[in-house]
Amino acid sequence: MGEKHGHVQQAKAVSCLCCRHLSNKNTFCATMNVAKSGYRVFSANSSAACTELAKKITERLGVELGKSVVFQESNRETRVAVNESVRGQTIFIIQTIPRDVNTAIMELLVMAYALKTSCAKNIIGVIPYFPYSKQCKMRKRGSIVCKLLASMLAKAGLTHIITMDLHQKEIQGFFSFPVDNLRASPFLIQYIQEEIPNYRNAIIVAKSPAAAKRAQSYAERLRLGLAVIHGEAQCSESDMADGRHSPPCVRNTTGHTGLELPCKQQAPFPGIELPMMMAKEKPPITVVGDVGGRIAIIVDDIIDDVGDFVAAAEILKERGAYKIYIMATHGLLSADAPRLIEESAIDEVVVTNTVPHEVQKLQCPKIKTVDVSMILAEAIRRIHNGESMAYLFRNITVDD
């Protein structure tokens, strides 16, 4: 009887041991699955001021910023060290662009390549302000630098990009991988409604005909009027200096042996004259729309060299606007921008935190900041969970 009881106790012990082993195995497998399907968020900036946006995003996501070191060698070479395993994981690299644009680009490229060689599953760049976006068109004998940068990012290992308010939406076609171009306009429109007193008496202003579509989008959403400042700006490109305005030389038709070097400037054929494009003439500056006794709100995507904005503010003041606001997504505010804003007729400049500008805010109290970390964090969450991004593009049309 005692022997039988002993066998029963032994069987129970073996059963408990097996259950414990299976439980530990399931826990281990679950841990492995979490690790394989997990994600990490890194910041590729070497300066502390540029990591503020990354910290806000990770706080909203409830995750810690990835362990990495980004620094510049004494010879200004960029060095990156990733201090944790990223094998098989989805990695988000947050890179805000400071004044030193080229250094920030190299930091992003080197970190992306380091993660690629560390066997990361997907590498997604979160670049709220995409640099070189203004160089997205061919300028005579120049180059489309934005396309070059897109190719470099793909070569470094990026598989996806989250950005905000590209200078031209067609830039997305430069990339060989998906691009999510988020919009800051909902946050700026909310600021107008909540922070500008009597905004119903405002009018949305485009500082040039090129910015009219963006201004029209704001005006229609706020149910406000629209004004456009029309007038030819100084063109930095000169056909005279470029050599293309030189008259063609006359081809010598007395004889041709087929061995002469071609003339540098030859007429196409004798007796044929190509039509010449009429030269542009700068019209006088005019404001299309009534701004008298109204609050003028100038909207744009980038505010960098503020000369055009200051000139537009002076014109609007002359036409009777009693308050002038500037709304822009990316506040680069280079050179003497804070001083020029402080001394101008502009009452307030409102930008998002896609670009760090804390120093400029200390120099000019007219500069205000709108936080967009919420939409960037939500984009990261949705991409990681495989959810649709359509929610972030509600009521946004092709022209927005």
Side-chain angles (χ1 to χ4, degrees):
M1 187 71 180
E3 186 179 352
K4 183 178 180 182
H5 180 73
H7 284 305
V8 170
Q9 292 294 330
Q10 187 178 3
K12 285 184 178 179
V14 171
S15 177
C16 290
L17 184 63
C18 289
C19 290
R20 189 180 302 171
H21 176 70
L22 287 172
S23 176
N24 291 339
K25 184 177 180 181
N26 290 336
T27 304
F28 176 75
C29 290
T31 305
M32 287 297 292
N33 289 335
V34 169
K36 285 183 179 179
S37 63
Y39 74 100
R40 294 285 186 273
V41 180
F42 287 87
S43 174
N45 288 113
S46 58
S47 60
C50 297
T51 60
E52 290 302 316
L53 181 60
K55 290 178 181 177
K56 288 184 178 181
I57 292 173
T58 51
E59 285 175 6
R60 290 186 180 276
L61 290 169
V63 299
E64 293 184 358
L65 204 58
K67 298 175 183 178
S68 64
V69 179
V70 183
F71 62 96
Q72 309 297 319
E73 297 277 13
S74 57
N75 61 353
R76 304 302 298 167
E77 287 185 0
T78 299
R79 186 175 290 273
V80 171
V82 179
N83 296 331
E84 61 180 289
S85 175
V86 296
R87 182 178 295 274
Q89 297 187 27
T90 297
I91 306 298
F92 294 87
I93 308 174
I94 301 173
Q95 179 69 325
T96 52
I97 306 298
R99 289 189 179 186
D100 192 354
V101 177
N102 295 330
T103 298
I105 291 171
M106 279 306 302
E107 289 172 348
L108 177 59
L109 292 171
V110 175
M111 173 161 275
Y113 192 69
L115 294 166
K116 178 183 177 181
T117 54
S118 298
C119 300
K121 182 181 178 181
N122 294 305
I123 304 171
I124 301 171
V126 183
I127 314 170
Y129 166 64
F130 195 79
Y132 286 99
S133 58
K134 284 189 174 182
Q135 298 189 47
C136 61
K137 296 179 181 179
M138 179 62 75
R139 302 280 183 179
K140 294 184 179 176
R141 299 187 184 92
S143 61
I144 306 176
V145 185
C146 194
K147 167 63 176 173
L148 171 64
L149 181 55
S151 302
M152 292 167 64
L153 292 173
K155 191 69 176 176
L158 288 182
T159 58
H160 195 147
I161 276 183
I162 303 170
T163 187
M164 182 168 282
D165 281 339
L166 287 170
H167 186 59
Q168 298 287 341
K169 293 185 291 296
E170 293 77 11
I171 290 174
Q172 296 176 75
F174 292 163
F175 294 88
S176 57
F177 49 76
V179 177
D180 286 310
N181 182 27
L182 303 177
R183 305 294 196 275
S185 51
F187 297 91
L188 296 175
I189 288 172
Q190 184 181 18
Y191 184 93
I192 293 172
Q193 293 172 325
E194 296 179 356
E195 302 296 333
I196 298 181
N198 195 24
Y199 83 92
R200 287 293 180 189
N201 189 36
I203 186 168
I204 305 297
V205 181
K207 69 179 179 66
S208 67
K213 274 191 177 181
R214 185 182 301 273
Q216 181 182 358
S217 175
Y218 276 75
E220 290 174 352
R221 281 166 168 74
L222 290 165
R223 277 65 170 172
L224 299 176
L226 176 66
V228 180
I229 298 176
H230 177 58
E232 188 71 20
Q234 283 282 356
C235 184
S236 60
E237 301 174 6
S238 173
D239 284 337
M240 299 294 288
D242 187 63
R244 302 188 181 192
H245 193 69
S246 305
C249 68
V250 179
R251 178 180 292 177
N252 184 9
T253 57
T254 56
H256 180 66
T257 62
L259 299 176
E260 300 93 340
L261 290 174
C263 179
K264 289 184 179 179
Q265 297 168 349
Q266 294 180 347
F269 294 99
I272 297 178
E273 185 175 349
L274 296 175
M276 183 178 293
M277 177 67 75
M278 292 182 64
K280 287 183 179 180
E281 290 185 7
K282 291 189 294 182
I285 297 292
T286 57
V287 179
V288 182
D290 183 17
V291 298
R294 312 283 287 277
I295 300 171
I297 303 176
I298 304 174
V299 297
D300 212 337
D301 61 328
I302 299 172
I303 176 169
D304 187 5
D305 181 8
V306 299
D308 291 344
F309 292 94
V310 170
E314 292 175 357
I315 293 166
L316 294 171
K317 277 287 186 183
E318 292 174 2
R319 299 296 193 277
Y322 70 91
K323 270 196 173 182
I324 298 168
Y325 291 81
I326 310 292
M327 296 279 168
T329 304
H330 310 296
L332 305 186
L333 303 169
S334 303
D336 292 332
R339 179 182 61 81
L340 294 173
I341 293 170
E342 187 66 27
E343 297 172 355
S344 70
I346 299 170
D347 292 283
E348 199 168 281
V349 174
V350 183
V351 294
T352 71
N353 56 345
T354 56
V355 177
H357 51 265
E358 293 304 318
V359 175
Q360 290 91 327
K361 287 179 69 175
L362 294 174
Q363 296 171 348
C364 178
K366 292 182 179 180
I367 301 172
K368 308 296 180 183
T369 307
V370 174
D371 182 24
V372 293
S373 61
M374 181 189 301
I375 191 171
L376 294 170
E378 180 63 15
I380 291 173
R381 189 193 68 80
R382 285 177 173 272
I383 289 173
H384 169 63
N385 292 332
E387 299 177 21
S388 172
M389 296 286 284
Y391 179 79
L392 304 181
F393 294 94
R394 291 170 300 166
N395 300 324
I396 292 176
T397 62
V398 176
D399 293 331
D400 288 338

